[in-house]
Amino acid sequence: MAAHRSGPLKQQNKPHKGGRHRGRGSAQRDGKGRLALKTLSKKVRKDLSKVDQRHRASQLRKQKKEAVLAEKRQLGSKDGPPHQVLVVPLHNRISLPEAFRLLQDRDTGTVHLNEWGSTHSFMLLCPRLKHRWFFTSARPGDLHTVLDMAKVADTILFLLDPLEGWDSTGDYCLSCLFAQGLPTYTLAVQGVSGLPLKKQTDVRKKLSKAVEKRFPDDKLLLLDTQQEAGMLLRQLANQKQRHLAFRDRHAYLFAHAVDFVPSEENNLLGTLKISGYVRGQALNVNNLLHIVGHGDFQMKQIDAPVDPFPLNPRVIKSPKDPGMAMEVCATDAVVDMEEDLKVLMKADPERQESLQTEVIPDPMEGEQTWPTEEELSEANDLLKEASKVVKKVPKGTSSYQAEWILDEDGESGGEGDEYDDIEREDFMEEESQDEGSEKEEEEECETVTMGESVHDDLYDEKVDEEAEGKMLEKYKQERLEEMFPDEVDTPRDVAARIRFQKYRGLKSFRTSPWDPKENLPQDYARIFQFQNFINTRRRIFKEIEEKEVEGAEVGWYVTLHVSEVPVSVVEHFKRGAPLIAFSLLPHEQKMSVLNMVVSRHAGNTEPVKAKEELIFHCGFRRFRASPLFSQHTAADKHKFQRFLTADLALVVTVYAPITFPPASVLLFKQNSNGMHSLIATGYLLSVDPDRMVIKRVVLSGHPFKIFTKMAVVRYMFFNREDVLWFKPVELRTKWGRRGHIKEPLGTHGHMKCSFDGKLKSQDTVLMNLYKRVFPKWTYDPYVPEPVPWVKSEISSTVPEMDME
């Protein structure tokens, strides 16, 4: 008797699932003894009770609170660096000397004045508040000075006008500072007391509403009296500090004193002695030093002179009169500096970082070695055998005469292929283009006499016609790129297979493979590349957090001996420009390929073309380069953009020294009048030479005769050989059809194409070709000083264009 077996239609009920509350036994049975990798590598976690969890949370809060208080107490104290405050007036009606006069209160503390050319600064020592400030100033029009000093300032004090707040120059300065990254800032209003009492309240309310757009949730302080200046100082001392990532991981220094010792061989080079307070991180003498705007240099040694601005000056009693005491001021400390000079560190040649920025490529690397004598003899034998030709010649013919006798195969006797006249009549018949001419309607014009302006001649003298013509042509190119992206005309004088020989076709731009090491330019032999950039960056940052770097501690007043510095650095400092130095992390002096994400600044509408020279402010560096623009996507290939568009963020690719992100990026363009206009702002994305920027070229053709799924396309190519050369590349149309080339027709570039659907007569046939592009090596670390920025001189009207 056969056993009953259920059929295929038997109902299958769902098995019971334990869900989250499965037992240990069922989990072990399902796993069959296997353990996940995460379970093996995960640290043993101890389950804490609720009381222990609350206790641990309170301990963490307490530690964070103590860290914030310790940082606040160290800044400006006797053991920490002075509290550096940058005063920026945002309106031309602001009186900077009046503000400094109120802050230099002799009753509050001791004031030490210092003046370097056009840059005014002073040190304020206040033992009663246990704080010391270092006040500096910068005008908004002096763009480089404002941005450089904001990189090292602990607090920025913005001075506002009571009626307007800030003018156009101040607004432009704020845009640049916000893009670079603002440290702690304070808003103060000057001139409210000069207004009538009835208007003061209304003015403050209107100003508060205007300020909320840029500075939300920030209070306005007054700076008109000595009492208000004291309240402002207390606000500056008790503020919570904001951190800038690109400077907190570096040791940096603002120069208070500079001395230059020329070398014996060359007076233009020498040793630069920079004195100032160490900030950020500990300063190691073996690391490289970057002087902002001047380049990278090596240090010889670090000295520790006497602090010229002590919070509590030393008191020396007179030996003749014990009751008479004398305080040691800053000048006395400078005089005694050489007596109390102490050498902290000297550079170790074995551990010192090298100034090498590029790899010196070996042209013979990877080439075949020189052949041996045996290989040369074998090659000669093969060449002789290949050169021997057997011919049938009459008797008595010499070898010289035999060279002139033609073979039977060498005679050309074949006839060419005949072209089918019937097929040519069917497919090559051209339609008459003169079907009918439309009569142009005459428009009646009215003549109007206008009064001539007196200033027209003076205005025309300032207009550069050549620059206007170039700008108009650039606007037309940008407009054409927006209307017809990547479309180019096939040249008629050069064969398309020669003009586009570096391009290739792709089945899919997103998924088709492309080797990033293929056909690299010669400049790639000069750059450095990391095996794993993320791991290197993580390792260096971990060493900084764990305080493994040895050197001068934060808050010490030191003197750096920098070697091989040109004398122009000292001359620049004597003219009033600030001197700021940053210590470089490992590898930050080496050249590589930097990728930055930027967005177009709303205040600038001038077209910016790819590979056009721009000025970069990347972190603490400033340089000039010609960048590439590409789309910001997550794929392995990124489409090249010909212009810096205003509607989306793009990635800028340049050759530049390695910088570890995060770092802010500002792009400027130098105008013909010497000013620098802000083009775009963003941040540093990565240091990756393997990021592929692919340029797309679109060739367009027009359907001449359309059948069911076949069509004859013309004007994409102009000879038969080009059609055969690009036959494997896929075609597409603007209305979404896909197809390919079947065969060429005739000798004028007409081709028969098949598509996945019927074409419309108004459709356009396109062919996509791709090529990888690389940036130009135009890196220049020396940026010329800009002309003071004035809004009215930069803004200009652009004529409307007729693109028909």
Side-chain angles (χ1 to χ4, degrees), residues 175-448:
S175 300
C176 298
L177 287 174
F178 271 100
Q180 179 179 268
L182 269 182
T184 309
Y185 60 89
T186 302
L187 306 177
V189 186
Q190 187 187 64
V192 176
S193 60
L195 300 175
L197 293 176
K198 295 182 180 180
K199 291 186 178 181
Q200 290 184 7
T201 305
D202 296 337
V203 166
R204 292 182 64 178
K205 287 183 179 180
K206 290 180 181 179
L207 186 59
S208 298
K209 289 182 179 180
V211 167
E212 281 181 359
K213 297 179 181 179
R214 282 234 185 228
F215 306 96
D217 303 329
D218 284 319
K219 295 181 180 180
L220 293 175
L221 301 177
L222 300 179
L223 186 59
D224 289 326
T225 63
Q226 207 72 51
Q227 184 179 3
E228 292 170 351
M231 294 177 61
L232 179 61
L233 290 176
R234 289 184 178 273
Q235 171 70 14
L236 295 175
N238 296 325
Q239 258 186 329
K240 183 181 178 181
Q241 293 298 311
R242 300 175 64 183
H243 294 275
L244 297 179
F246 73 89
R247 77 175 185 185
D248 286 345
R249 292 188 175 94
H250 294 80
Y252 57 96
L253 179 141
F254 182 86
H256 288 265
V258 172
D259 188 19
F260 183 76
V261 180
S263 61
E264 298 178 358
E265 296 82 5
N266 188 0
N267 293 330
L268 299 179
L269 295 176
T271 301
L272 185 68
K273 297 181 180 180
I274 307 174
S275 299
Y277 294 92
V278 179
R279 301 171 183 271
Q281 298 291 333
L283 180 60
N284 193 336
V285 71
N286 293 318
N287 293 344
L288 296 180
L289 194 72
H290 176 79
I291 301 178
V292 176
H294 300 282
D296 304 335
F297 304 95
Q298 287 181 333
M299 291 182 284
K300 290 182 179 179
Q301 68 180 36
I302 300 178
D303 299 338
V306 177
D307 191 346
F309 307 106
L311 185 60
N312 299 315
R314 290 183 299 174
V315 177
I316 303 176
K317 293 185 177 180
S318 175
K320 297 181 180 179
D321 189 0
M324 182 179 179
M326 178 180 62
E327 292 186 354
V328 178
C329 62
T331 55
D332 298 331
V334 173
V335 172
D336 298 337
M337 188 180 297
E338 297 182 357
E339 299 178 0
D340 299 338
L341 191 63
K342 179 183 177 182
V343 178
L344 288 179
M345 297 180 67
K346 285 191 176 182
D348 186 2
E350 297 180 356
R351 299 174 56 189
Q352 195 172 24
E353 289 283 344
S354 173
L355 284 172
Q356 181 183 3
T357 60
E358 302 175 16
V359 178
I360 301 175
D362 185 5
M364 298 302 295
E365 185 178 1
E367 296 292 331
Q368 184 181 1
T369 56
W370 188 258
T372 61
E373 295 182 359
E374 296 178 357
E375 293 175 344
L376 289 174
S377 61
E378 290 178 3
N380 291 330
D381 295 340
L382 292 174
L383 185 61
K384 290 178 181 178
E385 292 178 1
S387 62
K388 292 179 180 179
V389 179
V390 180
K391 293 184 179 181
K392 292 181 179 180
V393 296
K395 292 183 178 180
T397 305
S398 63
S399 59
Y400 175 75
Q401 293 172 341
E403 295 290 338
W404 291 93
I405 298 177
L406 297 176
D407 295 336
E408 294 180 357
D409 298 338
E411 297 176 358
S412 59
E415 295 182 358
D417 298 334
E418 296 181 359
Y419 185 74
D420 193 352
D421 295 337
I422 301 174
E423 189 176 278
R424 185 175 68 177
E425 289 177 2
D426 291 341
F427 293 102
M428 299 298 296
E429 184 181 15
E430 297 185 357
E431 300 176 353
S432 62
Q433 299 179 356
D434 300 328
E435 294 180 353
S437 60
E438 299 179 356
K439 296 182 179 180
E440 298 179 358
E441 299 179 357
E442 297 181 358
E443 298 179 358
E444 297 181 359
C445 300
E446 182 180 0
T447 60
V448 180

Side-chain angles (χ1 to χ4, degrees), residues 110-143:
T110 308
V111 178
H112 300 284
L113 298 177
N114 196 351
E115 183 177 344
W116 303 311
S118 59
T119 304
H120 300 274
S121 62
F122 68 93
M123 186 76 70
L124 177 62
L125 308 176
C126 184
R128 180 167 56 87
L129 296 176
K130 297 180 180 180
H131 210 83
R132 53 179 175 174
W133 290 272
F134 178 59
F135 286 91
T136 58
S137 64
R139 287 286 177 182
D142 193 359
L143 191 61

Side-chain angles (χ1 to χ4, degrees), residues 666-787:
L666 283 79
L667 269 66
F668 293 89
K669 184 178 179 182
Q670 186 169 0
N671 301 323
S672 58
N673 54 7
M675 297 182 184
H676 292 178
S677 57
L678 182 63
I679 297 294
T681 60
Y683 60 92
L684 180 61
L685 177 64
S686 63
V687 181
D688 185 13
D690 287 341
R691 188 181 189 275
M692 291 186 292
V693 180
I694 308 299
K695 182 179 182 180
R696 184 182 71 173
V697 166
V698 180
L699 305 181
S700 60
H702 303 276
F704 175 47
K705 286 186 178 295
I706 300 175
F707 301 99
T708 306
K709 288 188 178 181
M710 301 286 292
V712 177
V713 180
R714 60 179 177 178
Y715 303 148
M716 183 176 288
F717 303 108
F718 298 101
N719 57 71
R720 184 184 183 90
E721 290 77 10
D722 288 343
V723 177
L724 294 173
W725 180 270
F726 291 100
K727 186 178 179 180
V729 184
E730 188 182 20
L731 301 176
R732 68 177 180 91
T733 69
K734 288 190 175 181
W735 287 20
R737 296 298 180 191
R738 298 278 179 175
H740 60 276
I741 301 172
K742 294 287 289 183
E743 58 181 352
L745 299 175
T747 60
H748 296 284
H750 290 222
M751 54 189 182
K752 186 190 295 184
C753 305
S754 64
F755 295 91
D756 57 357
K758 188 174 181 180
L759 260 67
K760 301 293 183 182
S761 59
Q762 62 270 30
D763 203 351
T764 304
V765 181
L766 305 175
M767 177 184 286
N768 293 341
L769 300 175
Y770 302 94
K771 178 186 73 170
R772 185 178 178 185
V773 291
F774 302 90
K776 288 184 177 180
W777 192 290
T778 57
Y779 171 78
D780 187 3
Y782 304 104
V783 179
E785 290 293 329
V787 177

Side-chain angles (χ1 to χ4, degrees), residues 494-781:
V494 182
R497 61 186 182 277
I498 297 176
R499 168 64 179 83
F500 303 110
Q501 61 183 347
K502 295 183 179 180
Y503 290 81
R504 68 179 70 176
L506 294 178
K507 181 70 175 176
S508 171
F509 181 78
R510 185 179 62 87
T511 60
S512 296
W514 196 311
D515 187 7
K517 303 295 184 183
E518 177 185 356
N519 293 332
L520 297 178
Q522 189 67 26
D523 290 336
Y524 263 52
R526 302 164 58 185
I527 65 173
F528 290 85
Q529 183 177 5
F530 295 95
Q531 288 185 350
N532 193 324
F533 176 74
I534 297 177
N535 288 349
T536 304
R537 172 177 170 270
R538 187 182 295 117
R539 175 181 57 81
I540 292 175
F541 286 2
K542 187 177 179 181
E543 292 177 358
I544 296 173
E545 293 176 358
E546 294 177 355
K547 306 294 183 182
E548 295 183 1
V549 180
E550 299 178 356
E553 296 295 334
V554 178
W556 291 2
Y557 186 83
V558 297
T559 299
L560 309 181
H561 295 250
V562 189
S563 58
E564 300 296 327
V565 179
V567 70
S568 60
V569 179
V570 183
E571 295 174 354
H572 192 70
F573 176 76
K574 290 180 179 178
R575 288 197 299 266
L579 196 147
I580 298 166
F582 276 83
S583 177
L584 298 182
L585 299 178
H587 313 295
E588 281 196 331
Q589 81 279 10
K590 301 174 182 177
M591 295 291 292
S592 187
V593 179
L594 269 62
N595 303 302
M596 316 166 189
V597 180
V598 299
S599 299
R600 190 68 186 266
H601 183 57
N604 190 288
T605 58
E606 182 181 345
V608 180
K609 201 172 182 179
K611 298 183 181 180
E612 188 175 347
E613 187 180 77
L614 299 177
I615 297 171
F616 288 77
H617 287 243
C618 180
F620 53 86
R621 287 189 183 273
R622 186 168 63 236
F623 57 88
R624 290 185 292 175
S626 300
L628 292 180
F629 303 140
S630 60
Q631 292 181 351
H632 183 33
T633 58
D636 60 339
K637 295 182 287 295
H638 312 273
K639 195 175 86 66
F640 170 76
Q641 295 290 117
R642 288 174 171 81
F643 287 89
L644 183 62
T645 56
D647 54 346
L648 73 163
L650 297 180
V651 176
V652 175
T653 304
V654 291
Y655 290 112
I658 294 172
T659 303
F660 291 102
S664 59
V665 174
L666 283 79
L667 269 66
F668 293 89
K669 184 178 179 182
Q670 186 169 0
N671 301 323
S672 58
N673 54 7
M675 297 182 184
H676 292 178
S677 57
L678 182 63
I679 297 294
T681 60
Y683 60 92
L684 180 61
L685 177 64
S686 63
V687 181
D688 185 13
D690 287 341
R691 188 181 189 275
M692 291 186 292
V693 180
I694 308 299
K695 182 179 182 180
R696 184 182 71 173
V697 166
V698 180
L699 305 181
S700 60
H702 303 276
F704 175 47
K705 286 186 178 295
I706 300 175
F707 301 99
T708 306
K709 288 188 178 181
M710 301 286 292
V712 177
V713 180
R714 60 179 177 178
Y715 303 148
M716 183 176 288
F717 303 108
F718 298 101
N719 57 71
R720 184 184 183 90
E721 290 77 10
D722 288 343
V723 177
L724 294 173
W725 180 270
F726 291 100
K727 186 178 179 180
V729 184
E730 188 182 20
L731 301 176
R732 68 177 180 91
T733 69
K734 288 190 175 181
W735 287 20
R737 296 298 180 191
R738 298 278 179 175
H740 60 276
I741 301 172
K742 294 287 289 183
E743 58 181 352
L745 299 175
T747 60
H748 296 284
H750 290 222
M751 54 189 182
K752 186 190 295 184
C753 305
S754 64
F755 295 91
D756 57 357
K758 188 174 181 180
L759 260 67
K760 301 293 183 182
S761 59
Q762 62 270 30
D763 203 351
T764 304
V765 181
L766 305 175
M767 177 184 286
N768 293 341
L769 300 175
Y770 302 94
K771 178 186 73 170
R772 185 178 178 185
V773 291
F774 302 90
K776 288 184 177 180
W777 192 290
T778 57
Y779 171 78
D780 187 3

